[in-house]
Amino acid sequence: MSELNLQEVLDFAIDLAKKAGKAISDGQAKRFTEGTAAETKKNSADLLTEVDQATEKLVKEAITAKYPDHAFIGEESAQGSESVPEGGCWIVDPIDGTTNFVHGFPYCCISIGFTYKKEPVMGVIYAPFLDHLYYALQGHGAYLVTAQAPEPRRLPLAKPTPLPSMRQAVVAMEWGSDRRSEILEAKLQSFRRLCGDPEDVEGGKMVQGIRSIGSAALVSASIAAGSIDVYYEIGTWSWDQCAGTAILREAGGVTVGSKAWTSKALASDSMFGTVPPEVLMGRKYLSIRAIGDTPQESGRAAQKRLIKEFYDAVVEFDPK
Ligand code: IPD
Ligand code: CA
């Protein structure tokens, strides 16, 4: 494959995300007028609508027409066993936050990621009900455009502050759609240690707050912006994460994978500046925002310290 024009890929993806955003808002208006109920996938906490499917079709057809040599992985057509090829690959969630979409809670978006040479190099996230557009291209920074501030603003929006410990952190975590007892036990234990007052809860980290927004992509975008500090989730897929990791990395953040992968990466410093296929496809993700340097500690060293602190507190499990 000849070298790609990545700027053209980004411009195309932004235009496509806006078209998909219109399909999502028109689709919601129609559903609300008609009073349509959502279908379920694996259980009642895993929803699917005709708008997810129609939006994926729209996006896939446009990509295939423009870039016929590229691979495509989309939530609604994926088998779950996909791998990332060497050439261009589009990794798309037509609606991330389908539960929010169905309920009219505005935190849902189209998420368009793109990998090249097996790495996320471009990401576009567009939340049509908020009119927030996040995008990034490897080596060119991450940006936010909103209706109120239409000139692209570089992310993070403010100079990164230090993060002395988990006590100063707002952490995003989700309940997910797998509600089996063993999964809930692991999550409850993790919530307990993260929230707990160390004077009363063994190993308590007493984080400032926990948020469950219901869209992996918008959480990653919020970390890139600097308004959430940490995001931890097991069980999401590459289409939930690809665009977000590309945007977050360009905003100085970092995404790591399972505890085992991360302990090796921490030893070799290999998690900065890249999200390898083992992490992207690995379904276990921990992301941390850009952290400001202090005279005592660089931002990178602080990210590593917080990753260790976080992984000491939580219980890992294998997703179904
Ligand atoms: C979901 C969202 C949610 C996460 C779920 C995902 P979907 O994506 O990203 O935040 O907790 O695990 O499935 O199903 O709305 O595309
Ligand atoms: Ca989805």
Side-chain angles (χ1 to χ4, degrees):
M1 179 184 283
S2 56
E3 281 299 307
L4 261 181
N5 180 341
L6 285 173
Q7 183 62 49
E8 188 185 277
V9 166
L10 173 67
D11 294 342
F12 170 76
I14 289 175
D15 186 55
L16 190 54
K18 298 249 183 81
K19 287 182 181 138
K22 169 127 184 32
I24 293 169
S25 38
D26 288 353
Q28 189 184 72
K30 184 163 183 285
R31 289 176 62 79
F32 282 6
T33 307
E34 293 173 359
T36 317
E39 286 172 38
T40 58
K41 287 207 264 193
K42 67 174 190 278
N43 62 36
S44 61
D46 187 13
L47 303 182
L48 174 67
T49 73
E50 72 292 350
V51 187
D52 298 73
Q53 289 169 320
T55 307
E56 177 156 324
K57 185 166 178 287
L58 179 156
V59 169
K60 187 176 183 179
E61 283 176 2
I63 290 172
T64 313
K66 171 87 175 166
Y67 295 108
D69 304 343
H70 291 181
F72 179 89
I73 301 174
E75 173 168 18
E76 307 312 335
S77 51
Q79 305 299 311
S81 54
E82 285 76 12
S83 56
V84 190
E86 191 65 33
C89 177
W90 296 79
I91 304 188
V92 172
D93 191 344
I95 303 181
D96 183 51
T98 299
T99 305
N100 293 344
F101 169 78
V102 165
H103 288 262
F105 185 58
Y107 290 84
C108 57
C109 59
I110 163 95
S111 171
I112 303 180
F114 181 77
T115 63
Y116 189 53
K117 299 182 179 163
K118 293 183 180 270
E119 250 192 76
V121 293
M122 191 277 313
V124 175
I125 292 171
Y126 180 54
F129 304 108
L130 305 170
D131 201 0
H132 287 183
L133 171 73
Y134 298 86
Y135 62 86
L137 194 58
Q138 190 173 41
H140 293 84
Y143 294 87
L144 168 63
V145 173
T146 66
Q148 291 78 17
E151 281 307 308
R153 285 182 291 163
R154 188 143 187 180
L155 304 178
L157 292 172
K159 187 174 175 203
T161 50
L163 196 46
S165 78
M166 293 299 296
R167 274 190 178 242
Q168 290 76 33
V170 169
V171 177
M173 284 172 61
E174 299 281 338
W175 291 104
S177 55
D178 188 345
R179 307 285 171 82
R180 288 172 299 150
S181 161
E182 74 183 87
I183 307 294
L184 284 184
E185 286 310 320
K187 287 196 173 187
L188 286 165
Q189 177 75 309
S190 301
F191 273 83
R192 182 181 158 80
R193 290 216 197 111
L194 289 170
C195 293
D197 181 341
E199 298 206 352
D200 197 39
V201 175
E202 202 188 326
K205 300 289 177 191
M206 204 155 168
V207 300
Q208 271 178 359
I210 300 235
R211 302 287 178 269
S212 299
I213 289 171
S215 160
L218 287 175
V219 168
S220 297
S222 301
I223 300 188
S227 48
I228 291 181
D229 302 295
V230 180
Y231 168 40
Y232 180 55
E233 189 158 13
I234 295 178
T236 51
W237 299 84
S238 58
W239 46 83
D240 300 304
Q241 300 283 345
C242 184
T245 61
I247 293 168
L248 179 58
R249 192 195 46 213
E250 281 302 306
V254 60
T255 300
V256 294
S258 66
K259 284 190 181 186
W261 184 89
T262 305
S263 72
K264 282 195 214 134
L266 283 168
S268 65
D269 247 1
S270 60
M271 76 275 215
F272 294 118
T274 177
V275 180
E278 309 92 273
V279 174
L280 182 60
M281 309 309 272
R283 303 193 62 203
K284 296 180 178 179
Y285 310 91
L286 169 61
S287 297
I288 312 253
R289 69 160 164 88
I291 298 178
D293 297 331
T294 65
Q296 292 74 37
E297 188 184 42
S298 71
R300 288 294 193 214
Q303 286 173 324
K304 289 175 69 170
R305 173 175 50 73
L306 281 150
I307 288 168
K308 282 189 210 142
E309 195 187 344
F310 194 92
Y311 266 154
D312 280 346
V314 295
V315 179
E316 190 168 286
F317 59 88
D318 290 324
K320 197 154 72 165

